[in-house]
Amino acid sequence: ELMSIAIDHPYSIYAETLRSVRLASDVLLQETPCRVIGVVSALPGEGKTFTAINLALSLALEKDHSVVLVDGDAPKPHVSQAFGIGSEPGLLDLLINPAMPVKSAVLPTDVRGLYLLPIGRRSESATELLASARMRQVIDELERLDGNLIVLLDSPPILLTSEAQVLASLFGQAVVVVRAGGTPQQAVVDALGLIGEGPHVGLVLNQALHDNNVGGYYGYGYGDGFLDSTQ
């Protein structure tokens, strides 16, 4: 069973930070017509996918909109693995076959308002497919499925893959996950530089230690939540 901090532990520090990210996202959604949020990290092992899944669950709890969580990390499709989805058609299939309806690859979950677009069948040309013009078409079609739908994309680490840099151009918002005491400062600076000035960018500090055991998640609290990179 998939563990959800947002649902199972709603009063933990982690859940409170997710609410902060969610509220910041709500404000930005009112300012920009782009409903695509990318969850990225500079390097592997930062907690990116864990954050993406729980942010998707947190956003889906709202009544105003639904969420489709897109697994865009072809080398390490942890979102698809977490939901126990193996060979179901998904994102890569849509990119290979433009005639395939986007809606046909979007799967419902047990959480009302939360849908999943898995990575799909593995392809040796995954890098080229994710960086192709077809990727933008798929995202556009997802947005058109529902006027209140948020597209939340789990992206590959931006410093290690060229496709992640292309995907960043699709984001209206980018949530950059940084591991406290682990991610080099220069890596964060370089990642922000590659994301560019197009999307609104926020940082989530992962695994920041706290002095008390709030909600049973000592050592896995979050820092200051969603921080505007311009501040």
Side-chain angles (χ1 to χ4, degrees):
E1 182 180 357
L2 183 68
M3 182 183 70
S4 165
I5 303 298
I7 294 177
D8 297 336
H9 301 274
Y11 302 108
S12 66
I13 295 175
Y14 191 101
E16 288 295 335
T17 300
L18 287 174
R19 277 190 283 272
S20 297
V21 177
R22 186 182 70 197
L23 291 172
S25 295
D26 285 343
V27 171
L28 292 176
L29 285 169
Q30 297 173 10
E31 299 176 355
T32 173
C34 185
R35 290 175 280 114
V36 182
I37 302 174
V39 181
V40 305
S41 63
L43 301 168
E46 312 290 73
K48 168 181 63 65
T49 297
F50 186 75
T51 300
I53 291 173
N54 278 278
L55 178 57
L57 288 163
S58 183
L59 288 166
L61 292 175
E62 296 188 9
K63 297 180 180 180
D64 294 338
H65 43 241
S66 55
V67 181
V68 57
L69 176 59
V70 180
D71 191 345
D73 194 342
K76 296 184 177 180
H78 290 157
V79 168
S80 300
Q81 294 169 4
F83 281 86
I85 298 173
S87 59
E88 292 286 341
L91 178 59
L92 295 180
D93 301 273
L94 293 172
L95 297 177
I96 292 172
N97 182 10
M100 181 180 176
V102 169
K103 189 175 182 178
S104 67
V106 177
L107 305 176
T109 70
D110 292 336
V111 179
R112 184 178 180 180
L114 176 63
Y115 302 88
L116 177 68
L117 177 57
I119 192 64
R121 297 182 179 90
R122 295 296 185 93
S123 171
E124 294 182 358
S125 58
T127 297
E128 291 76 14
L129 290 170
L130 290 170
S132 68
R134 170 64 180 160
M135 181 65 189
R136 181 177 292 277
Q137 294 175 358
V138 169
I139 295 297
D140 289 344
E141 289 185 43
L142 283 172
E143 286 192 278
R144 288 197 293 268
L145 290 177
D146 184 344
N148 294 317
L149 180 68
I150 294 175
V151 179
L152 186 65
L153 192 147
D154 183 40
S155 171
I158 197 164
L159 295 186
L160 299 186
T161 58
S162 58
E163 66 267 28
Q165 300 170 31
V166 178
L167 291 176
S169 67
L170 306 176
F171 303 156
Q173 304 175 42
V175 177
V176 182
V177 181
V178 178
R179 184 162 60 93
T183 309
Q185 182 178 359
Q186 189 58 50
V188 178
V189 172
D190 292 343
L192 293 176
L194 290 174
I195 292 172
E197 299 180 356
H200 295 273
V201 179
L203 302 179
V204 171
L205 184 63
N206 188 19
Q207 297 184 8
L209 292 176
H210 291 270
D211 292 333
N212 57 340
N213 187 4
V214 180
Y217 283 88
Y218 179 80
Y220 288 89
Y222 269 44
D224 292 330
F226 201 83
L227 306 177
D228 191 310
S229 63
T230 61
Q231 294 180 351

